Amino acid sequence: MNTKQEPISLPYTSGSILSMVLDIAEKMLICGAEINRVEDTIYRICSAYGAEHIEAFTIPSLITAEITLPNGDHSSMVRRVYYSENNLARIEELNALSREICASPIDPKEAKIRAEQTKYQHKYSKVFRYLGAMLATSSFTLFFGGNGFDMIATAIIAFVMTFYDFHKVKKFNRLLNILIPAFIGGSLHCLLVKTGIGQNLDKVMIGSIMLLIPGIALGNSIRDLLCGDVISGAVRFLHSILLASAIALGYFTSIALFGGLVL
């Protein structure tokens, strides 16, 4: 009597499932999602497709995962993440897609296409981003005690910083792309206050520096630490400290060179 069991037939392979899941996880990590959210997404989607064994390990620059299906089909993959940004709108779209997949699994190829399409949803125009940066920074200047002239000066600096962000050299690392606008912003503070467009150097500086402060990265690092992701939390916290140091160095250098103009 032949008692050998036939392998279970499943509609999707472990490789196609894991490739799709890592596409979504990678995009979430690039957009600034916390580590716990990324790993939870991997576990939930893989479980929705019937995976029996799931392992995932994520740090800000790397995702590694493996799954095993009931028929024994096994796959493991690694994704290297080279850069990150803050895009909460896209994270929300990817979360919505993940919840939809968990509720009713779809073809992994279709899921990959839809994940890529989130790149073009809620994408703000350059004009909107210029106006948003100018309004936000000038509002901070007013909040901290600046006057109308200081708000105008801050808006000008925000416009220049945003212009640099659109035209920055992609080959530069993130520290350098923070150091350069910090130096430009500090130099413009001194020049605008000297010409009378701004009146309070500290108020103008406080407002415009808000464009560079890595607040979300620092907040995510604390959350990762509280969730038990010590390695990821420590890496992100150190990265935030390095970015803050680059900002301080840029402003310090510019004030050291041009600060005498306003004394």
Side-chain angles (χ1 to χ4, degrees), residues 27-242:
K27 290 174 174 56
M28 293 178 68
L29 192 60
I30 289 174
C31 292
E34 61 273 20
I35 300 300
N36 184 262
R37 182 189 300 271
V38 174
E39 292 185 347
D40 185 62
T41 298
I42 294 174
Y43 282 110
R44 288 178 181 272
I45 295 180
C46 290
S47 297
Y49 282 92
E52 285 188 337
H53 181 74
I54 309 165
E55 294 289 347
F57 176 74
T58 306
I59 59 176
S61 59
L62 183 74
I63 306 174
T64 178
E66 64 174 340
I67 63 171
T68 302
L69 299 182
N71 61 359
D73 187 10
H74 171 84
S75 289
S76 61
M77 294 184 183
V78 175
R79 291 291 176 88
R80 180 76 165 86
V81 179
Y82 292 96
Y83 71 97
S84 62
E85 59 184 6
N86 296 322
N87 191 334
L88 300 183
R90 193 178 186 192
I91 292 177
E92 175 57 30
E93 292 294 334
L94 292 168
N95 277 336
L97 175 60
S98 301
R99 289 191 290 268
E100 181 181 341
I101 293 173
C102 290
S104 179
I106 61 178
D107 190 292
K109 292 182 179 179
E110 179 185 347
K112 293 180 72 170
I113 293 174
R114 292 182 58 183
E116 182 62 27
Q117 289 174 344
T118 60
K119 180 178 181 180
Y120 308 102
Q121 298 175 3
H122 301 292
K123 191 172 183 179
Y124 300 114
S125 66
K126 287 187 177 182
V127 174
F128 189 90
R129 291 180 62 181
Y130 275 118
L131 292 176
M134 296 167 68
L135 178 61
T137 53
S138 58
S139 298
F140 273 114
T141 297
L142 181 63
F143 176 80
F144 286 107
N147 55 34
F149 291 101
D150 297 329
M151 292 177 65
I152 294 173
T154 305
I156 294 173
I157 296 170
F159 180 90
V160 175
M161 285 184 171
T162 306
F163 179 84
Y164 175 84
D165 187 59
F166 282 129
H167 298 87
K168 61 186 176 185
V169 180
K170 301 296 183 180
K171 293 182 179 180
F172 289 171
N173 61 45
R174 192 173 181 186
L175 285 177
L176 194 55
N177 274 326
I178 285 288
L179 178 63
I180 293 175
F183 176 80
I184 294 174
S187 302
L188 287 175
H189 292 144
C190 299
L191 295 174
L192 291 174
V193 172
K194 176 63 177 179
T195 57
I197 298 178
Q199 294 183 349
N200 300 289
L201 180 65
D202 56 337
K203 304 301 188 298
V204 177
M205 187 177 298
I206 290 173
S208 60
I209 203 173
M210 292 299 177
L211 282 181
L212 304 176
I213 297 297
I216 294 180
L218 183 60
N220 281 344
S221 70
I222 301 301
R223 177 166 181 171
D224 289 340
L225 288 171
L226 294 177
C227 290
D229 298 309
V230 179
I231 296 177
S232 300
V235 169
R236 279 185 163 169
F237 182 79
L238 178 59
H239 189 228
S240 300
I241 296 300
L242 290 174

Side-chain angles (χ1 to χ4, degrees), residues 2-8:
N2 186 7
T3 59
K4 184 178 179 181
Q5 290 184 338
E6 294 295 328
I8 301 174

